[in-house]
Amino acid sequence: YIAQLAERQFTKLEAASDLVDRKAGTLLGFLAIIISLSLQAGLPSTCSYLDKLLVYTAFLLLFFALVCLIKSISPKVKHYDPNPVVLMEKYWQEDLEKTIGTVTSNIVQAWEKNKATYDEKVKWYAVALKPIVAGLFLLASDVLVIRVFGVG
């Protein structure tokens, strides 16, 4: 029963980690498109100080978000215990209760390490969201207020 419960928890954690990876990857692609389109459009030759400030600040925020997203999806080591080979070699002759206790302890340690890895992924993803929103807002402000309405 304990092994089945642990397997279900590892599967849930793995699915949650994959979901964060997919979301971060999607945002990464979206930001790459936004940045490349913005760089291709460029700044007009006669742009104001406010125009430059908005665009450069937006790019800094979006590049920071890119770094955070890359950090979020970068490969991490995952731990899965018990290792079947070690279990067979090391515990084959051991008492069943001692083996179950050791394996359970190893499963708990592996869960804690994997959970810490997942928490780090989520942290970097969450950190990236604020500069994305701010950067997109600044780019939209630049386009609407300065380039369309000519203010600034």
Side-chain angles (χ1 to χ4, degrees):
Y1 173 76
I2 292 174
Q4 291 171 343
L5 180 63
E7 182 182 3
R8 280 195 305 255
Q9 295 295 31
F10 276 103
T11 302
K12 287 179 184 179
L13 187 62
E14 186 71 26
S17 182
D18 288 345
L19 181 63
V20 171
D21 285 347
R22 283 195 307 272
K23 286 180 177 182
T26 302
L27 274 178
L28 195 61
F30 172 73
L31 284 182
I33 291 169
I34 293 294
I35 289 172
S36 66
L37 289 174
S38 298
L39 288 175
Q40 187 178 14
L43 285 173
S45 57
T46 58
C47 61
S48 68
Y49 175 75
L50 181 60
D51 195 13
K52 288 180 184 177
L53 179 67
L54 288 174
V55 170
Y56 292 147
T57 305
F59 280 142
L60 284 175
L61 289 168
L62 294 177
F63 279 121
F64 175 71
L66 279 174
V67 170
C68 291
L69 289 171
I70 290 170
K71 183 80 172 149
S72 173
I73 63 173
S74 63
K76 310 278 190 302
V77 175
K78 295 188 177 147
H79 303 275
Y80 299 99
D81 266 339
N83 180 336
V85 174
V86 173
L87 186 63
M88 180 77 167
E89 292 173 355
K90 188 173 181 182
Y91 299 111
W92 186 253
Q93 300 298 324
E94 294 289 328
D95 180 45
L96 181 61
E97 282 187 31
K98 182 179 178 186
T99 301
I100 290 173
T102 303
V103 168
T104 303
S105 174
N106 290 349
I107 288 171
V108 168
Q109 290 173 6
W111 166 259
E112 288 173 352
K113 290 176 185 176
N114 290 344
K115 179 74 167 97
T117 299
Y118 170 75
D119 290 342
E120 184 179 344
K121 281 178 170 283
V122 170
K123 177 189 81 169
W124 284 110
Y125 179 77
V127 166
L129 291 178
K130 291 175 185 167
I132 289 171
V133 170
L136 292 176
F137 177 76
L138 290 174
L139 282 178
S141 299
D142 177 62
V143 169
L144 288 176
V145 174
I146 294 173
R147 298 187 188 189
V148 173
F149 298 116
V151 178

